[in-house]
Amino acid sequence: MSSASPAVSIGIDFGTSNTVVALAADDRRVEAIRFDHGGQRHSVYVSALCFWEDRPGAGAQAEGGPWAIETFLEGRHVYRFLQSFKTFAASSSFQTTQVFRQRFKFEDILAAFLRTLARHGGEKLGFETSNITVGRPVRFAGGNPDEALAMQRYRAAFERLGAGHARYVYEPVGAAFSFARRLERDATVLVADFGGGTSDFSVMRFSRTGGALRAEPLGHAGIGIAGDTFDYRIVDRVVSPRLGKGSSFRSFDKVLPIPTGHYTNLARWHQLAMMKSNGDLRELRDLARTALKPKLLEDFITIVDLDLGFSLYRAVSNAKVALSAQDEVDFRFKGGGVDIGAAITRKNFEAWIADDIARLGATVDKVLAEAGVTAREIEKVFLTGGTSFVPAVRKLFAERFGNERLMSGDQFESIAYGLALIGHSPDPDRWTAGGGLEAKAGG
């Protein structure tokens, strides 16, 4: 891998579901790195890893992105497939996971993923370039996220690829810089970035002086609710009951409910992938022997044992996306002899996510209060990320700000573009999360 030109600024948007890398030249031209796979060129690199061994004891090999999914679906090796692992970044309870005979910390997983990214990114992607900007959430995912731990892990992983000097910028600030290129006049802008694991909000004031764009951050806020949360609601309401949630097992002379913790793991992809190695699968087998409806538990075991979680979650995500355009969809998952089908209406889906929408609204109120502005003073609202197309999310912003102020950008590339452009701004380190307003508003 050759070094990128010093005149090039690299922006990396490492997301829960997808990762995008953009390059900005010193003339402000910006482009996303493309990955050639399956006869197509992709700007999105799926945030997934597949480890395998050609033979027992030969040592683990790793592939990332669409190659990880391809290796996993081919099923020619014994493998460990990991996706949505960004969700563990700020979790102090996550220490290591077993990959064959080796234990991997979070930074080991991220470094392995970044190496596959570098390998497939070609000579344009040089992590050792002196100008590299990495996005990070305003608030990391998890019930009690440890921000300092997450950033320690990020830095350790990037250092292994020669990018210990990288700056870290809030993801919505990156999206704001991308959006600002469209502005023709001064404006106070709310940027809403909906990822897989978190939703982040920033209020920015943009102005032009002598043809140069100036930006002032006014406030930031974030919450661990995003696309994966909405998937969780579908799994919890549609899939989990079909796999035994709410049923019972017999313990001596008592009838007890099946523990719900297993269904929490089922509804969260990153936890489901760990059930083989943390003892949960063994406990499910024990429960199935005394369950009053053993077939339901056996189907759950099949999904874990045959690593069908990826296919299950793809079906769930497809249903969620379809509900943005349709009033009702037919959900269907088939695999390994398991067959789950149900009709899902948009009305029911919106009822399931109503509390999540309310919490998103409260976070928007928080960022406005942090910035010291009212909804009326926001002149443009820039929405980015796939979840911004969910009608209930769109309605939240339309009711607060009016449809005429809502604008959307590329749902995948906006943040990476802005991060790369920050590298060519007059004082790029000013935007580093942890300095100035960013530190004050980081919660």
Side-chain angles (χ1 to χ4, degrees):
M1 181 177 64
S2 65
S3 174
S5 165
V8 171
S9 168
I10 295 180
I12 301 176
D13 175 24
F14 165 52
T16 303
S17 303
N18 300 292
T19 294
V20 178
V21 181
L23 308 177
D26 53 6
D27 61 2
R28 312 286 287 181
R29 285 182 298 119
V30 62
E31 63 175 352
I33 284 184
R34 308 291 171 176
F35 302 92
D36 294 318
H37 178 264
Q40 295 183 325
R41 305 203 79 195
H42 306 269
S43 62
V44 170
Y45 194 83
V46 179
S47 300
L49 263 177
C50 188
F51 295 95
W52 78 92
E53 288 185 320
D54 288 327
R55 63 181 187 281
Q61 300 182 62
E63 262 299 2
W67 290 270
I69 295 173
E70 180 181 60
T71 302
F72 165 72
L73 293 177
E74 285 176 350
R76 293 184 297 183
H77 307 278
V78 176
Y79 49 76
R80 278 294 310 280
F81 183 78
L82 301 176
Q83 192 174 18
S84 297
F85 57 89
K86 180 181 176 180
T87 310
F88 291 115
S91 172
S92 57
S93 63
F94 177 81
Q95 295 298 319
T96 62
T97 187
Q98 189 82 26
V99 178
F100 303 117
R101 281 152 295 281
Q102 186 178 353
R103 300 207 69 85
F104 275 65
K105 299 179 180 178
F106 175 85
E107 50 266 46
D108 299 324
I109 297 171
L110 178 53
F113 172 74
L114 293 173
R115 288 190 188 99
T116 72
L117 184 73
R119 184 169 70 247
H120 292 296
E123 62 180 19
K124 287 185 176 181
L125 179 51
F127 278 96
E128 69 280 8
T129 181
S130 60
N131 198 345
I132 183 167
T133 305
V134 180
R136 54 147 292 184
V138 174
R139 186 184 190 277
F140 283 89
N144 187 27
D146 186 334
E147 177 180 322
L149 176 63
M151 294 313 302
Q152 175 187 324
R153 289 169 165 175
Y154 267 47
R155 292 187 179 97
F158 277 93
E159 280 174 3
R160 296 182 191 181
L161 279 84
H165 56 280
R167 67 180 67 87
Y168 295 86
V169 170
Y170 288 138
E171 290 160 356
V173 173
F177 266 76
S178 178
F179 168 68
R181 294 181 299 165
R182 304 189 200 174
L183 290 176
E184 298 177 354
R185 59 182 179 83
D186 298 355
T188 301
V189 178
L190 169 64
V191 180
D193 166 36
F194 299 96
T198 62
S199 295
D200 296 317
F201 307 95
S202 287
V203 177
M204 307 279 291
R205 178 64 186 173
F206 290 99
S207 59
R208 292 189 180 276
T209 304
L213 180 69
R214 292 174 53 83
E216 179 186 1
L218 302 181
H220 304 293
I223 189 169
I225 291 175
D228 286 355
T229 308
F230 294 170
D231 290 347
Y232 177 107
R233 304 304 176 200
I234 294 176
V235 173
D236 188 52
R237 299 294 185 126
V238 176
V239 179
S240 291
R242 171 60 181 75
L243 300 178
K245 184 178 181 180
S247 64
S248 305
F249 73 103
R250 193 175 299 280
S251 178
F252 299 106
D253 59 344
K254 296 181 179 179
V255 174
L256 302 173
I258 299 291
T260 58
H262 297 301
Y263 297 96
T264 301
N265 292 339
L266 172 67
R268 298 190 187 279
W269 163 261
H270 59 285
Q271 296 285 2
L272 178 63
M274 303 294 175
M275 289 183 72
K276 266 189 174 181
S277 60
N278 64 9
D280 284 348
L281 181 58
R282 183 172 60 251
E283 187 174 335
L284 279 177
R285 294 189 197 279
D286 292 340
L287 286 168
R289 294 187 186 100
T290 57
L292 301 189
K293 297 180 179 179
K295 179 63 167 64
L296 302 183
L297 271 294
E298 289 165 4
D299 283 351
F300 191 175
I301 290 166
T302 296
I303 287 173
V304 178
D305 200 28
L306 299 184
D307 293 297
L308 299 177
F310 175 79
S311 299
L312 172 63
Y313 264 76
R314 185 159 56 181
V316 168
S317 182
N318 288 343
K320 178 187 68 177
V321 171
L323 284 169
S324 292
Q326 301 169 218
D327 291 330
E328 182 174 331
V329 299
D330 290 321
F331 170 80
R332 195 66 180 266
F333 167 76
K334 295 180 72 173
V338 179
D339 190 345
I340 303 172
I344 305 174
T345 66
R346 184 189 294 178
K347 181 179 179 180
N348 283 342
F349 175 61
E350 290 183 348
W352 301 340
I353 65 173
D355 288 345
D356 302 319
I357 296 295
R359 293 177 65 196
L360 287 172
T363 309
V364 172
D365 294 338
K366 179 181 177 181
V367 77
L368 295 179
E370 174 73 39
V373 299
T374 66
R376 187 172 298 177
E377 292 174 288
I378 297 293
E379 295 158 275
K380 296 290 183 182
V381 179
F382 180 52
L383 306 175
T384 186
T387 301
S388 66
F389 294 102
V390 172
V393 173
R394 199 97 185 165
K395 181 181 177 183
L396 169 70
F397 287 88
E399 289 179 345
R400 273 175 167 74
F401 304 100
N403 270 314
E404 69 281 358
R405 283 186 269 175
L406 304 188
M407 302 182 70
S408 297
D410 185 283
Q411 60 179 298
F412 295 120
E413 297 179 11
S414 298
I415 295 172
Y417 277 22
L419 294 171
L421 290 169
I422 284 172
H424 279 310
S425 64
D427 184 11
D429 292 330
R430 175 192 178 202
W431 304 103
T432 301
L437 176 64
E438 286 83 354
K440 181 177 71 173

mmCIF file of all heavy atoms in Angstrom, residues 9 28 131 133 167 177 213 418-431:
data_model
loop_
_atom_site.group_PDB
_atom_site.id
_atom_site.type_symbol
_atom_site.label_atom_id
_atom_site.label_comp_id
_atom_site.label_asym_id
_atom_site.label_seq_id
_atom_site.Cartn_x
_atom_site.Cartn_y
_atom_site.Cartn_z
ATOM 1 N N SER A 9 -6.678 14.774 1.780
ATOM 2 C CA SER A 9 -7.241 14.586 3.110
ATOM 3 C C SER A 9 -8.179 13.386 3.068
ATOM 4 O O SER A 9 -9.005 13.277 2.163
ATOM 5 C CB SER A 9 -7.998 15.840 3.546
ATOM 6 O OG SER A 9 -8.775 15.592 4.693
ATOM 7 N N ARG A 28 -10.393 21.022 -3.144
ATOM 8 C CA ARG A 28 -11.700 20.789 -2.545
ATOM 9 C C ARG A 28 -12.561 19.790 -3.309
ATOM 10 O O ARG A 28 -13.726 19.579 -2.957
ATOM 11 C CB ARG A 28 -12.495 22.105 -2.371
ATOM 12 C CG ARG A 28 -11.743 23.234 -1.739
ATOM 13 C CD ARG A 28 -11.550 23.035 -0.268
ATOM 14 N NE ARG A 28 -12.789 23.220 0.487
ATOM 15 C CZ ARG A 28 -12.881 23.120 1.816
ATOM 16 N NH1 ARG A 28 -11.802 22.801 2.513
ATOM 17 N NH2 ARG A 28 -14.029 23.311 2.436
ATOM 18 N N ASN A 131 -2.884 13.583 6.974
ATOM 19 C CA ASN A 131 -4.141 14.315 7.086
ATOM 20 C C ASN A 131 -5.303 13.328 7.044
ATOM 21 O O ASN A 131 -5.818 12.990 5.983
ATOM 22 C CB ASN A 131 -4.254 15.333 5.951
ATOM 23 C CG ASN A 131 -5.281 16.406 6.240
ATOM 24 O OD1 ASN A 131 -6.105 16.269 7.145
ATOM 25 N ND2 ASN A 131 -5.238 17.481 5.466
ATOM 26 N N THR A 133 -9.027 12.189 9.057
ATOM 27 C CA THR A 133 -10.080 12.560 10.002
ATOM 28 C C THR A 133 -11.064 11.406 10.120
ATOM 29 O O THR A 133 -11.573 10.904 9.112
ATOM 30 C CB THR A 133 -10.821 13.826 9.533
ATOM 31 O OG1 THR A 133 -9.871 14.880 9.311
ATOM 32 C CG2 THR A 133 -11.827 14.276 10.574
ATOM 33 N N ARG A 167 -7.216 12.705 13.650
ATOM 34 C CA ARG A 167 -8.099 13.522 14.485
ATOM 35 C C ARG A 167 -9.494 12.877 14.476
ATOM 36 O O ARG A 167 -9.872 12.202 13.517
ATOM 37 C CB ARG A 167 -8.167 14.968 13.984
ATOM 38 C CG ARG A 167 -8.832 15.141 12.630
ATOM 39 C CD ARG A 167 -8.879 16.595 12.192
ATOM 40 N NE ARG A 167 -7.548 17.118 11.932
ATOM 41 C CZ ARG A 167 -6.922 17.006 10.757
ATOM 42 N NH1 ARG A 167 -7.506 16.380 9.753
ATOM 43 N NH2 ARG A 167 -5.726 17.512 10.601
ATOM 44 N N PHE A 177 -20.438 19.752 7.246
ATOM 45 C CA PHE A 177 -19.481 20.282 6.274
ATOM 46 C C PHE A 177 -19.838 19.838 4.859
ATOM 47 O O PHE A 177 -19.649 20.586 3.895
ATOM 48 C CB PHE A 177 -18.066 19.839 6.638
ATOM 49 C CG PHE A 177 -17.327 20.839 7.471
ATOM 50 C CD1 PHE A 177 -17.611 20.973 8.817
ATOM 51 C CD2 PHE A 177 -16.362 21.660 6.920
ATOM 52 C CE1 PHE A 177 -16.954 21.896 9.601
ATOM 53 C CE2 PHE A 177 -15.692 22.595 7.691
ATOM 54 C CZ PHE A 177 -15.991 22.719 9.040
ATOM 55 N N LEU A 213 -16.029 30.037 3.443
ATOM 56 C CA LEU A 213 -17.069 29.517 4.311
ATOM 57 C C LEU A 213 -16.557 29.443 5.746
ATOM 58 O O LEU A 213 -15.481 28.904 6.013
ATOM 59 C CB LEU A 213 -17.495 28.119 3.844
ATOM 60 C CG LEU A 213 -18.598 27.436 4.664
ATOM 61 C CD1 LEU A 213 -19.924 28.157 4.460
ATOM 62 C CD2 LEU A 213 -18.716 25.964 4.255
ATOM 63 N N GLY A 418 -17.755 15.106 4.326
ATOM 64 C CA GLY A 418 -17.493 16.236 5.209
ATOM 65 C C GLY A 418 -16.235 16.066 6.027
ATOM 66 O O GLY A 418 -15.476 17.022 6.241
ATOM 67 N N LEU A 419 -15.966 14.856 6.505
ATOM 68 C CA LEU A 419 -14.746 14.600 7.280
ATOM 69 C C LEU A 419 -13.504 14.867 6.441
ATOM 70 O O LEU A 419 -12.519 15.445 6.924
ATOM 71 C CB LEU A 419 -14.740 13.156 7.787
ATOM 72 C CG LEU A 419 -15.824 12.786 8.806
ATOM 73 C CD1 LEU A 419 -15.829 11.281 9.058
ATOM 74 C CD2 LEU A 419 -15.624 13.544 10.117
ATOM 75 N N ALA A 420 -13.551 14.454 5.172
ATOM 76 C CA ALA A 420 -12.415 14.717 4.284
ATOM 77 C C ALA A 420 -12.242 16.218 4.055
ATOM 78 O O ALA A 420 -11.122 16.732 4.019
ATOM 79 C CB ALA A 420 -12.611 13.980 2.962
ATOM 80 N N LEU A 421 -13.358 16.940 3.897
ATOM 81 C CA LEU A 421 -13.290 18.389 3.688
ATOM 82 C C LEU A 421 -12.771 19.115 4.927
ATOM 83 O O LEU A 421 -12.065 20.126 4.803
ATOM 84 C CB LEU A 421 -14.673 18.927 3.313
ATOM 85 C CG LEU A 421 -15.189 18.524 1.922
ATOM 86 C CD1 LEU A 421 -16.654 18.880 1.774
ATOM 87 C CD2 LEU A 421 -14.356 19.196 0.831
ATOM 88 N N ILE A 422 -13.089 18.603 6.107
ATOM 89 C CA ILE A 422 -12.564 19.216 7.335
ATOM 90 C C ILE A 422 -11.043 19.203 7.330
ATOM 91 O O ILE A 422 -10.393 20.150 7.788
ATOM 92 C CB ILE A 422 -13.132 18.488 8.568
ATOM 93 C CG1 ILE A 422 -14.579 18.917 8.808
ATOM 94 C CG2 ILE A 422 -12.290 18.767 9.819
ATOM 95 C CD1 ILE A 422 -15.294 18.130 9.887
ATOM 96 N N GLY A 423 -10.457 18.152 6.779
ATOM 97 C CA GLY A 423 -8.995 18.073 6.711
ATOM 98 C C GLY A 423 -8.375 19.197 5.925
ATOM 99 O O GLY A 423 -7.207 19.532 6.121
ATOM 100 N N HIS A 424 -9.143 19.828 5.025
ATOM 101 C CA HIS A 424 -8.641 20.951 4.228
ATOM 102 C C HIS A 424 -9.200 22.290 4.707
ATOM 103 O O HIS A 424 -9.039 23.310 4.026
ATOM 104 C CB HIS A 424 -8.987 20.750 2.746
ATOM 105 C CG HIS A 424 -8.025 19.833 2.040
ATOM 106 N ND1 HIS A 424 -6.655 19.991 2.105
ATOM 107 C CD2 HIS A 424 -8.239 18.739 1.260
ATOM 108 C CE1 HIS A 424 -6.071 19.038 1.391
ATOM 109 N NE2 HIS A 424 -7.010 18.270 0.870
ATOM 110 N N SER A 425 -9.884 22.294 5.842
ATOM 111 C CA SER A 425 -10.377 23.559 6.387
ATOM 112 C C SER A 425 -9.202 24.329 6.998
ATOM 113 O O SER A 425 -8.150 23.760 7.288
ATOM 114 C CB SER A 425 -11.463 23.302 7.433
ATOM 115 O OG SER A 425 -10.947 22.601 8.538
ATOM 116 N N PRO A 426 -9.337 25.646 7.197
ATOM 117 C CA PRO A 426 -8.213 26.461 7.682
ATOM 118 C C PRO A 426 -7.621 25.984 9.002
ATOM 119 O O PRO A 426 -6.418 26.069 9.208
ATOM 120 C CB PRO A 426 -8.843 27.854 7.820
ATOM 121 C CG PRO A 426 -9.976 27.857 6.838
ATOM 122 C CD PRO A 426 -10.508 26.468 6.851
ATOM 123 N N ASP A 427 -8.463 25.470 9.906
ATOM 124 C CA ASP A 427 -7.973 25.005 11.204
ATOM 125 C C ASP A 427 -8.648 23.682 11.527
ATOM 126 O O ASP A 427 -9.544 23.617 12.364
ATOM 127 C CB ASP A 427 -8.270 26.052 12.285
ATOM 128 C CG ASP A 427 -7.700 25.668 13.641
ATOM 129 O OD1 ASP A 427 -6.910 24.708 13.705
ATOM 130 O OD2 ASP A 427 -8.074 26.320 14.643
ATOM 131 N N PRO A 428 -8.232 22.590 10.871
ATOM 132 C CA PRO A 428 -8.963 21.326 11.007
ATOM 133 C C PRO A 428 -9.020 20.794 12.433
ATOM 134 O O PRO A 428 -10.014 20.187 12.827
ATOM 135 C CB PRO A 428 -8.199 20.367 10.080
ATOM 136 C CG PRO A 428 -6.859 20.983 9.900
ATOM 137 C CD PRO A 428 -7.076 22.458 9.970
ATOM 138 N N ASP A 429 -7.975 21.027 13.224
ATOM 139 C CA ASP A 429 -7.964 20.488 14.583
ATOM 140 C C ASP A 429 -8.974 21.182 15.488
ATOM 141 O O ASP A 429 -9.279 20.698 16.578
ATOM 142 C CB ASP A 429 -6.560 20.582 15.181
ATOM 143 C CG ASP A 429 -5.586 19.644 14.490
ATOM 144 O OD1 ASP A 429 -6.046 18.585 14.005
ATOM 145 O OD2 ASP A 429 -4.390 19.960 14.412
ATOM 146 N N ARG A 430 -9.492 22.321 15.030
ATOM 147 C CA ARG A 430 -10.523 23.013 15.798
ATOM 148 C C ARG A 430 -11.764 22.146 15.956
ATOM 149 O O ARG A 430 -12.517 22.273 16.929
ATOM 150 C CB ARG A 430 -10.895 24.320 15.089
ATOM 151 C CG ARG A 430 -12.046 25.064 15.756
ATOM 152 C CD ARG A 430 -12.565 26.177 14.890
ATOM 153 N NE ARG A 430 -13.705 26.838 15.522
ATOM 154 C CZ ARG A 430 -14.622 27.543 14.886
ATOM 155 N NH1 ARG A 430 -14.520 27.688 13.585
ATOM 156 N NH2 ARG A 430 -15.616 28.097 15.527
ATOM 157 N N TRP A 431 -11.979 21.261 14.983
ATOM 158 C CA TRP A 431 -13.205 20.463 14.964
ATOM 159 C C TRP A 431 -13.058 19.151 15.708
ATOM 160 O O TRP A 431 -13.999 18.369 15.785
ATOM 161 C CB TRP A 431 -13.620 20.201 13.513
ATOM 162 C CG TRP A 431 -13.763 21.510 12.785
ATOM 163 C CD1 TRP A 431 -12.881 22.061 11.893
ATOM 164 C CD2 TRP A 431 -14.825 22.439 12.935
ATOM 165 N NE1 TRP A 431 -13.334 23.271 11.482
ATOM 166 C CE2 TRP A 431 -14.531 23.533 12.110
ATOM 167 C CE3 TRP A 431 -15.991 22.454 13.692
ATOM 168 C CZ2 TRP A 431 -15.366 24.635 12.010
ATOM 169 C CZ3 TRP A 431 -16.827 23.548 13.603
ATOM 170 C CH2 TRP A 431 -16.510 24.625 12.770
#
